[in-house]
Amino acid sequence: MPAEPTPELLPETASWLRRRSWNAADRPVRTLLAAKRALGPAGTVSVVLPALDEQATVGEIVRVIRRELMERLPLVDELVVVDSGSADATAEVAAEAGATVVHRDAILPRLPAAPGKGEVLWRSLLVTRGEIVCFVDADLREFDPTLVSGIIGPLLTEPDIQLVKAMYDRPLETDGAVVPAGGGRVTELVARPLLNLHWPELAGFVQPLGGEYAARRSLLERLPFPTGYGVELGLLVDALETAGLDALAQVDVGVRHHRHQDGQALGRMAATIYRTALERLDRAHRLKASADLLHPRLTQFTRDPRTRAFTAHTHPVTATERPPMHTVPEYATRH
């Protein structure tokens, strides 16, 4: 039997993957500093950490960003932690480490706050001033400043780039065992299939749900923000619709270590992300599956152990169905 032909990415997506995927090392710090100076006010950078009960990790993240990207290298102009009602000492730890701490409910107090990360990110635009806004999750461990400098880089050097996502390995660390690429379960089981089937132009993103990304304020202020876990998928899809694929990019920053959630929490996250996708399909009148599945392929990524680059592998997504057996003539003759 001849082998089935290997499915491919959309030509537009394959071209984007080659042209809009970089490594953090592609832009040396000297290049970033020179670009920032040349941009003037347009190169101002605000880093925002949304935080809820993250006293164990938020302090070290803040210290590293302040030391490496504000004091040693003046790349970041503002570092803000938005606390969304922590029961622990998150706010105190962040402030002691050197961040400006703002409580979610103090921002736009006339509007009662909705729960969720997206609500915090949305409100943060009201208390930051940078023309480039960089979001970083507050539960990261072994924090490397390259995660920030890497994703703000293209926004400083490429005027047509509007939003940059970090890409990285996400090891799953549980009970003393480490699965090198075992993290990102909701990405692989929910978000990646949704994007591949409904927005195949975005199939080239390695970490579409990653919480580390930077964007121009001029884009963010035009986008709706889902208030909960759907914010990353929603912003990515809406940025595609608003700015176009070529305005989006991704940068390889290595490895990301963070706290993993339990199965029930992942289930709630998956449901919210699915609903966020449905809202956007409904808004665009694209809920009819047969018309909407423009490219029934699934592209996944692994890191090549030899080149250390991410490699795309595309597979067909089949939906062949057999009819009820009682409609098959041969079955009727046997029963």
Side-chain angles (χ1 to χ4, degrees), residues 4 31-32 34-35 40 55-56 65 68 114 130 138 152 157-158 209 217 267 277 283 296 310 332:
E4 293 185 6
T31 300
L32 298 185
Q55 68 175 17
I65 293 174
E68 300 297 327
I152 66 175
T157 63
E158 312 293 329
L209 295 187
R217 179 177 294 273
R283 184 188 306 163
F310 281 103

Side-chain angles (χ1 to χ4, degrees), residues 246-260:
D246 251 17
L248 314 181
Q250 61 184 349
V251 173
D252 189 347
V253 296
V255 180
R256 178 186 190 268
H257 300 274
H258 70 116
R259 185 187 69 249
H260 297 284

Side-chain angles (χ1 to χ4, degrees), residues 9 35 74 199 226 253 312 316 319:
L9 287 164
W199 295 278
V253 296

Side-chain angles (χ1 to χ4, degrees), residues 283-301:
R283 184 188 306 163
H285 307 292
R286 294 174 53 202
L287 275 176
K288 189 168 185 283
S290 60
D292 185 57
L293 297 185
L294 304 176
H295 191 66
R297 305 283 187 268
L298 176 65
T299 300
Q300 299 171 309
F301 294 87

Side-chain angles (χ1 to χ4, degrees), residues 158-211:
E158 312 293 329
D160 53 344
I161 296 296
Q162 297 288 310
L163 182 146
V164 182
K165 298 279 292 188
M167 58 175 166
Y168 37 69
D169 292 314
R170 295 180 69 175
L172 177 62
E173 302 166 16
T174 178
D175 297 329
V178 178
V179 181
R185 291 162 288 175
V186 175
T187 294
E188 299 303 332
L189 296 175
V190 180
R192 198 179 306 286
L194 282 171
L195 291 174
N196 275 257
L197 295 175
H198 298 294
W199 295 278
E201 306 96 322
L202 298 174
F205 276 94
V206 175
Q207 296 291 355
L209 295 187

Side-chain angles (χ1 to χ4, degrees), residues 60-61 64-65 68-69 136 140-150 253-257:
E60 181 61 15
I61 298 171
V64 170
I65 293 174
E68 300 297 327
L69 301 179
V136 176
L140 304 184
R141 295 181 289 105
E142 302 176 34
F143 184 78
D144 188 327
T146 301
L147 200 151
V148 172
S149 60
V253 296
V255 180
R256 178 186 190 268
H257 300 274

Side-chain angles (χ1 to χ4, degrees), residues 268-325:
R268 294 189 294 272
M269 183 185 299
T272 304
I273 290 165
Y274 181 58
R275 179 169 180 180
T276 301
L278 287 181
E279 293 283 350
R280 277 144 183 78
L281 291 171
D282 183 53
R283 184 188 306 163
H285 307 292
R286 294 174 53 202
L287 275 176
K288 189 168 185 283
S290 60
D292 185 57
L293 297 185
L294 304 176
H295 191 66
R297 305 283 187 268
L298 176 65
T299 300
Q300 299 171 309
F301 294 87
T302 57
R303 194 183 284 281
D304 187 305
R306 183 177 57 84
T307 66
R308 301 304 300 157
F310 281 103
T311 303
H313 306 277
T314 303
H315 313 275
V317 176
T318 60
T320 303
E321 295 190 25
R322 299 300 184 191
M325 185 57 75

